[in-house]
mmCIF file of all heavy atoms in Angstrom:
data_model
loop_
_atom_site.group_PDB
_atom_site.id
_atom_site.type_symbol
_atom_site.label_atom_id
_atom_site.label_comp_id
_atom_site.label_asym_id
_atom_site.label_seq_id
_atom_site.Cartn_x
_atom_site.Cartn_y
_atom_site.Cartn_z
ATOM 1 N N ALA A 1 75.283 -73.194 69.223
ATOM 2 C CA ALA A 1 75.164 -74.084 68.068
ATOM 3 C C ALA A 1 73.726 -74.590 67.996
ATOM 4 O O ALA A 1 73.341 -75.505 68.724
ATOM 5 C CB ALA A 1 76.151 -75.237 68.200
ATOM 6 N N VAL A 2 72.932 -73.983 67.133
ATOM 7 C CA VAL A 2 71.518 -74.322 67.010
ATOM 8 C C VAL A 2 71.358 -75.457 65.994
ATOM 9 O O VAL A 2 71.728 -75.312 64.838
ATOM 10 C CB VAL A 2 70.701 -73.083 66.572
ATOM 11 C CG1 VAL A 2 69.217 -73.426 66.459
ATOM 12 C CG2 VAL A 2 70.910 -71.940 67.557
ATOM 13 N N HIS A 3 70.789 -76.559 66.447
ATOM 14 C CA HIS A 3 70.643 -77.741 65.593
ATOM 15 C C HIS A 3 69.499 -77.577 64.600
ATOM 16 O O HIS A 3 68.682 -76.679 64.694
ATOM 17 C CB HIS A 3 70.439 -78.995 66.441
ATOM 18 C CG HIS A 3 69.209 -78.958 67.306
ATOM 19 N ND1 HIS A 3 67.953 -79.175 66.817
ATOM 20 C CD2 HIS A 3 69.066 -78.705 68.628
ATOM 21 C CE1 HIS A 3 67.080 -79.083 67.788
ATOM 22 N NE2 HIS A 3 67.733 -78.796 68.904
ATOM 23 N N TYR A 4 69.458 -78.483 63.641
ATOM 24 C CA TYR A 4 68.411 -78.533 62.632
ATOM 25 C C TYR A 4 67.068 -78.872 63.282
ATOM 26 O O TYR A 4 67.001 -79.295 64.430
ATOM 27 C CB TYR A 4 68.770 -79.538 61.534
ATOM 28 C CG TYR A 4 69.251 -80.868 62.086
ATOM 29 C CD1 TYR A 4 68.363 -81.904 62.291
ATOM 30 C CD2 TYR A 4 70.592 -81.040 62.444
ATOM 31 C CE1 TYR A 4 68.796 -83.104 62.828
ATOM 32 C CE2 TYR A 4 71.028 -82.238 62.968
ATOM 33 C CZ TYR A 4 70.131 -83.255 63.161
ATOM 34 O OH TYR A 4 70.554 -84.443 63.690
ATOM 35 N N CYS A 5 65.994 -78.692 62.554
ATOM 36 C CA CYS A 5 64.627 -78.738 63.081
ATOM 37 C C CYS A 5 64.319 -79.968 63.934
ATOM 38 O O CYS A 5 63.773 -79.847 65.010
ATOM 39 C CB CYS A 5 63.637 -78.636 61.930
ATOM 40 S SG CYS A 5 61.928 -78.444 62.437
ATOM 41 N N THR A 6 64.634 -81.146 63.480
ATOM 42 C CA THR A 6 64.285 -82.352 64.240
ATOM 43 C C THR A 6 65.478 -82.923 64.999
ATOM 44 O O THR A 6 65.416 -84.041 65.498
ATOM 45 C CB THR A 6 63.717 -83.436 63.304
ATOM 46 O OG1 THR A 6 64.696 -83.737 62.308
ATOM 47 C CG2 THR A 6 62.433 -82.984 62.642
ATOM 48 N N GLY A 7 66.547 -82.179 65.094
ATOM 49 C CA GLY A 7 67.761 -82.659 65.740
ATOM 50 C C GLY A 7 67.739 -82.505 67.252
ATOM 51 O O GLY A 7 66.771 -82.048 67.848
ATOM 52 N N THR A 8 68.853 -82.886 67.858
ATOM 53 C CA THR A 8 69.037 -82.744 69.296
ATOM 54 C C THR A 8 70.390 -82.096 69.557
ATOM 55 O O THR A 8 71.275 -82.104 68.692
ATOM 56 C CB THR A 8 69.008 -84.112 70.006
ATOM 57 O OG1 THR A 8 70.149 -84.870 69.587
ATOM 58 C CG2 THR A 8 67.727 -84.875 69.733
ATOM 59 N N GLY A 9 70.546 -81.559 70.748
ATOM 60 C CA GLY A 9 71.830 -80.986 71.119
ATOM 61 C C GLY A 9 72.963 -82.001 71.055
ATOM 62 O O GLY A 9 74.000 -81.751 70.426
ATOM 63 N N PRO A 10 72.803 -83.182 71.684
ATOM 64 C CA PRO A 10 73.869 -84.183 71.630
ATOM 65 C C PRO A 10 74.184 -84.658 70.218
ATOM 66 O O PRO A 10 75.344 -84.897 69.886
ATOM 67 C CB PRO A 10 73.321 -85.331 72.495
ATOM 68 C CG PRO A 10 72.418 -84.649 73.466
ATOM 69 C CD PRO A 10 71.768 -83.549 72.662
ATOM 70 N N ALA A 11 73.174 -84.787 69.363
ATOM 71 C CA ALA A 11 73.429 -85.217 67.983
ATOM 72 C C ALA A 11 74.211 -84.146 67.228
ATOM 73 O O ALA A 11 75.116 -84.464 66.441
ATOM 74 C CB ALA A 11 72.112 -85.519 67.263
ATOM 75 N N PHE A 12 73.879 -82.875 67.476
ATOM 76 C CA PHE A 12 74.592 -81.795 66.807
ATOM 77 C C PHE A 12 76.035 -81.724 67.314
ATOM 78 O O PHE A 12 76.962 -81.479 66.548
ATOM 79 C CB PHE A 12 73.862 -80.472 67.040
ATOM 80 C CG PHE A 12 74.124 -79.438 65.978
ATOM 81 C CD1 PHE A 12 73.912 -79.703 64.643
ATOM 82 C CD2 PHE A 12 74.577 -78.178 66.320
ATOM 83 C CE1 PHE A 12 74.148 -78.754 63.659
ATOM 84 C CE2 PHE A 12 74.820 -77.219 65.353
ATOM 85 C CZ PHE A 12 74.608 -77.506 64.025
ATOM 86 N N TYR A 13 76.232 -81.978 68.604
ATOM 87 C CA TYR A 13 77.577 -82.041 69.194
ATOM 88 C C TYR A 13 78.394 -83.139 68.500
ATOM 89 O O TYR A 13 79.536 -82.912 68.090
ATOM 90 C CB TYR A 13 77.452 -82.319 70.695
ATOM 91 C CG TYR A 13 78.705 -82.812 71.362
ATOM 92 C CD1 TYR A 13 79.727 -81.934 71.716
ATOM 93 C CD2 TYR A 13 78.852 -84.159 71.678
ATOM 94 C CE1 TYR A 13 80.876 -82.392 72.347
ATOM 95 C CE2 TYR A 13 79.998 -84.623 72.309
ATOM 96 C CZ TYR A 13 81.004 -83.730 72.639
ATOM 97 O OH TYR A 13 82.133 -84.190 73.266
ATOM 98 N N ALA A 14 77.797 -84.316 68.353
ATOM 99 C CA ALA A 14 78.509 -85.452 67.774
ATOM 100 C C ALA A 14 78.739 -85.299 66.269
ATOM 101 O O ALA A 14 79.721 -85.818 65.744
ATOM 102 C CB ALA A 14 77.724 -86.742 68.037
ATOM 103 N N GLY A 15 77.863 -84.561 65.589
ATOM 104 C CA GLY A 15 77.934 -84.480 64.142
ATOM 105 C C GLY A 15 78.587 -83.230 63.576
ATOM 106 O O GLY A 15 78.584 -83.037 62.369
ATOM 107 N N THR A 16 79.146 -82.382 64.428
ATOM 108 C CA THR A 16 79.792 -81.160 63.948
ATOM 109 C C THR A 16 81.205 -81.055 64.507
ATOM 110 O O THR A 16 81.600 -81.823 65.384
ATOM 111 C CB THR A 16 78.996 -79.896 64.363
ATOM 112 O OG1 THR A 16 78.988 -79.797 65.788
ATOM 113 C CG2 THR A 16 77.571 -79.938 63.828
ATOM 114 N N GLU A 17 81.938 -80.087 64.032
ATOM 115 C CA GLU A 17 83.320 -79.865 64.454
ATOM 116 C C GLU A 17 83.446 -78.825 65.570
ATOM 117 O O GLU A 17 84.546 -78.426 65.931
ATOM 118 C CB GLU A 17 84.155 -79.393 63.255
ATOM 119 C CG GLU A 17 84.269 -80.428 62.156
ATOM 120 C CD GLU A 17 85.139 -81.609 62.574
ATOM 121 O OE1 GLU A 17 86.199 -81.386 63.189
ATOM 122 O OE2 GLU A 17 84.751 -82.745 62.279
ATOM 123 N N PHE A 18 82.308 -78.357 66.121
ATOM 124 C CA PHE A 18 82.370 -77.272 67.094
ATOM 125 C C PHE A 18 83.202 -77.626 68.331
ATOM 126 O O PHE A 18 83.954 -76.800 68.835
ATOM 127 C CB PHE A 18 80.973 -76.828 67.510
ATOM 128 C CG PHE A 18 80.207 -76.148 66.408
ATOM 129 C CD1 PHE A 18 78.953 -76.601 66.036
ATOM 130 C CD2 PHE A 18 80.737 -75.058 65.736
ATOM 131 C CE1 PHE A 18 78.244 -75.979 65.018
ATOM 132 C CE2 PHE A 18 80.038 -74.432 64.716
ATOM 133 C CZ PHE A 18 78.793 -74.889 64.361
ATOM 134 N N ALA A 19 83.076 -78.844 68.847
ATOM 135 C CA ALA A 19 83.845 -79.230 70.037
ATOM 136 C C ALA A 19 85.346 -79.235 69.737
ATOM 137 O O ALA A 19 86.152 -78.752 70.544
ATOM 138 C CB ALA A 19 83.391 -80.589 70.551
ATOM 139 N N ARG A 20 85.724 -79.762 68.586
ATOM 140 C CA ARG A 20 87.148 -79.771 68.215
ATOM 141 C C ARG A 20 87.669 -78.345 68.075
ATOM 142 O O ARG A 20 88.765 -78.016 68.545
ATOM 143 C CB ARG A 20 87.359 -80.539 66.910
ATOM 144 C CG ARG A 20 88.837 -80.642 66.515
ATOM 145 C CD ARG A 20 89.024 -81.228 65.129
ATOM 146 N NE ARG A 20 88.444 -80.422 64.064
ATOM 147 C CZ ARG A 20 88.996 -79.296 63.600
ATOM 148 N NH1 ARG A 20 90.115 -78.823 64.122
ATOM 149 N NH2 ARG A 20 88.419 -78.625 62.616
ATOM 150 N N LEU A 21 86.878 -77.485 67.447
ATOM 151 C CA LEU A 21 87.291 -76.091 67.296
ATOM 152 C C LEU A 21 87.339 -75.379 68.646
ATOM 153 O O LEU A 21 88.213 -74.536 68.879
ATOM 154 C CB LEU A 21 86.343 -75.366 66.336
ATOM 155 C CG LEU A 21 86.416 -75.833 64.881
ATOM 156 C CD1 LEU A 21 85.269 -75.262 64.068
ATOM 157 C CD2 LEU A 21 87.766 -75.463 64.262
ATOM 158 N N ALA A 22 86.425 -75.722 69.538
ATOM 159 C CA ALA A 22 86.451 -75.148 70.884
ATOM 160 C C ALA A 22 87.728 -75.559 71.612
ATOM 161 O O ALA A 22 88.345 -74.748 72.311
ATOM 162 C CB ALA A 22 85.218 -75.589 71.674
ATOM 163 N N ASP A 23 88.127 -76.818 71.448
ATOM 164 C CA ASP A 23 89.391 -77.271 72.036
ATOM 165 C C ASP A 23 90.562 -76.465 71.470
ATOM 166 O O ASP A 23 91.473 -76.079 72.195
ATOM 167 C CB ASP A 23 89.627 -78.760 71.753
ATOM 168 C CG ASP A 23 88.745 -79.664 72.579
ATOM 169 O OD1 ASP A 23 88.324 -79.266 73.682
ATOM 170 O OD2 ASP A 23 88.461 -80.789 72.108
ATOM 171 N N GLN A 24 90.519 -76.227 70.182
ATOM 172 C CA GLN A 24 91.616 -75.525 69.513
ATOM 173 C C GLN A 24 91.667 -74.043 69.886
ATOM 174 O O GLN A 24 92.735 -73.497 70.121
ATOM 175 C CB GLN A 24 91.465 -75.677 68.003
ATOM 176 C CG GLN A 24 92.585 -75.050 67.201
ATOM 177 C CD GLN A 24 92.418 -75.295 65.695
ATOM 178 O OE1 GLN A 24 91.576 -76.066 65.264
ATOM 179 N NE2 GLN A 24 93.230 -74.623 64.910
ATOM 180 N N TYR A 25 90.490 -73.386 69.941
ATOM 181 C CA TYR A 25 90.463 -71.936 70.118
ATOM 182 C C TYR A 25 89.997 -71.475 71.507
ATOM 183 O O TYR A 25 90.029 -70.279 71.803
ATOM 184 C CB TYR A 25 89.579 -71.294 69.045
ATOM 185 C CG TYR A 25 90.147 -71.479 67.667
ATOM 186 C CD1 TYR A 25 89.580 -72.384 66.770
ATOM 187 C CD2 TYR A 25 91.274 -70.776 67.250
ATOM 188 C CE1 TYR A 25 90.105 -72.559 65.502
ATOM 189 C CE2 TYR A 25 91.813 -70.958 65.988
ATOM 190 C CZ TYR A 25 91.222 -71.846 65.114
ATOM 191 O OH TYR A 25 91.753 -72.031 63.862
ATOM 192 N N GLY A 26 89.544 -72.393 72.359
ATOM 193 C CA GLY A 26 89.224 -72.048 73.739
ATOM 194 C C GLY A 26 87.895 -71.354 73.973
ATOM 195 O O GLY A 26 87.758 -70.577 74.909
ATOM 196 N N PHE A 27 86.881 -71.632 73.158
ATOM 197 C CA PHE A 27 85.569 -71.033 73.403
ATOM 198 C C PHE A 27 84.590 -72.089 73.913
ATOM 199 O O PHE A 27 84.819 -73.289 73.782
ATOM 200 C CB PHE A 27 85.014 -70.343 72.150
ATOM 201 C CG PHE A 27 84.864 -71.232 70.940
ATOM 202 C CD1 PHE A 27 83.724 -72.006 70.756
ATOM 203 C CD2 PHE A 27 85.850 -71.274 69.969
ATOM 204 C CE1 PHE A 27 83.573 -72.814 69.638
ATOM 205 C CE2 PHE A 27 85.711 -72.076 68.842
ATOM 206 C CZ PHE A 27 84.574 -72.853 68.674
ATOM 207 N N ILE A 28 83.505 -71.638 74.535
ATOM 208 C CA ILE A 28 82.454 -72.521 75.044
ATOM 209 C C ILE A 28 81.405 -72.696 73.956
ATOM 210 O O ILE A 28 81.071 -71.747 73.250
ATOM 211 C CB ILE A 28 81.804 -71.917 76.304
ATOM 212 C CG1 ILE A 28 82.803 -71.885 77.450
ATOM 213 C CG2 ILE A 28 80.546 -72.692 76.702
ATOM 214 C CD1 ILE A 28 82.296 -71.176 78.681
ATOM 215 N N VAL A 29 80.854 -73.905 73.846
ATOM 216 C CA VAL A 29 79.777 -74.158 72.899
ATOM 217 C C VAL A 29 78.516 -74.507 73.697
ATOM 218 O O VAL A 29 78.563 -75.351 74.590
ATOM 219 C CB VAL A 29 80.092 -75.317 71.926
ATOM 220 C CG1 VAL A 29 78.999 -75.446 70.872
ATOM 221 C CG2 VAL A 29 81.447 -75.120 71.266
ATOM 222 N N VAL A 30 77.419 -73.825 73.391
ATOM 223 C CA VAL A 30 76.124 -74.103 73.996
ATOM 224 C C VAL A 30 75.251 -74.765 72.933
ATOM 225 O O VAL A 30 75.135 -74.257 71.816
ATOM 226 C CB VAL A 30 75.443 -72.808 74.490
ATOM 227 C CG1 VAL A 30 74.059 -73.106 75.058
ATOM 228 C CG2 VAL A 30 76.308 -72.103 75.510
ATOM 229 N N TYR A 31 74.672 -75.904 73.288
ATOM 230 C CA TYR A 31 73.796 -76.646 72.385
ATOM 231 C C TYR A 31 72.383 -76.625 72.978
ATOM 232 O O TYR A 31 72.040 -77.469 73.799
ATOM 233 C CB TYR A 31 74.258 -78.102 72.244
ATOM 234 C CG TYR A 31 75.634 -78.260 71.650
ATOM 235 C CD1 TYR A 31 76.768 -78.285 72.452
ATOM 236 C CD2 TYR A 31 75.807 -78.408 70.278
ATOM 237 C CE1 TYR A 31 78.034 -78.445 71.899
ATOM 238 C CE2 TYR A 31 77.065 -78.577 69.720
ATOM 239 C CZ TYR A 31 78.172 -78.590 70.545
ATOM 240 O OH TYR A 31 79.419 -78.751 70.005
ATOM 241 N N PRO A 32 71.550 -75.650 72.594
ATOM 242 C CA PRO A 32 70.174 -75.627 73.100
ATOM 243 C C PRO A 32 69.341 -76.689 72.390
ATOM 244 O O PRO A 32 69.664 -77.104 71.276
ATOM 245 C CB PRO A 32 69.685 -74.222 72.744
ATOM 246 C CG PRO A 32 70.491 -73.842 71.559
ATOM 247 C CD PRO A 32 71.821 -74.522 71.713
ATOM 248 N N GLU A 33 68.283 -77.115 73.052
ATOM 249 C CA GLU A 33 67.422 -78.134 72.454
ATOM 250 C C GLU A 33 65.978 -77.898 72.872
ATOM 251 O O GLU A 33 65.680 -77.740 74.047
ATOM 252 C CB GLU A 33 67.859 -79.519 72.920
ATOM 253 C CG GLU A 33 67.026 -80.651 72.380
ATOM 254 C CD GLU A 33 67.518 -81.999 72.879
ATOM 255 O OE1 GLU A 33 68.732 -82.263 72.801
ATOM 256 O OE2 GLU A 33 66.685 -82.772 73.355
ATOM 257 N N ARG A 34 65.094 -77.847 71.899
ATOM 258 C CA ARG A 34 63.659 -77.752 72.166
ATOM 259 C C ARG A 34 63.109 -79.172 72.127
ATOM 260 O O ARG A 34 63.451 -79.951 71.247
ATOM 261 C CB ARG A 34 62.980 -76.881 71.117
ATOM 262 C CG ARG A 34 61.484 -76.729 71.356
ATOM 263 C CD ARG A 34 60.841 -75.739 70.441
ATOM 264 N NE ARG A 34 61.264 -74.385 70.652
ATOM 265 C CZ ARG A 34 60.722 -73.542 71.527
ATOM 266 N NH1 ARG A 34 59.744 -73.942 72.300
ATOM 267 N NH2 ARG A 34 61.162 -72.308 71.636
ATOM 268 N N GLN A 35 62.260 -79.495 73.081
ATOM 269 C CA GLN A 35 61.671 -80.827 73.141
ATOM 270 C C GLN A 35 60.847 -81.100 71.881
ATOM 271 O O GLN A 35 60.174 -80.219 71.369
ATOM 272 C CB GLN A 35 60.776 -80.956 74.374
ATOM 273 C CG GLN A 35 61.512 -80.762 75.684
ATOM 274 C CD GLN A 35 62.461 -81.892 75.986
ATOM 275 O OE1 GLN A 35 62.264 -83.018 75.554
ATOM 276 N NE2 GLN A 35 63.504 -81.602 76.728
#
């Protein structure tokens, strides 16, 4: 899950449905972050 240009991994985690969908479908989500 690649965040928007000025975003962060934790913000993208909190602001998207990927974690809920991962719970539902059993996949891992990776949130990379460039400093």
Side-chain angles (χ1 to χ4, degrees):
V2 181
H3 61 77
Y4 47 93
C5 188
T6 59
T8 66
F12 205 54
Y13 163 79
T16 64
E17 296 290 317
F18 292 126
R20 183 188 63 76
L21 292 169
D23 286 333
Q24 183 177 350
Y25 295 106
F27 58 85
I28 293 174
V29 186
V30 177
Y31 298 90
E33 179 180 311
R34 181 173 293 273
Q35 299 291 333

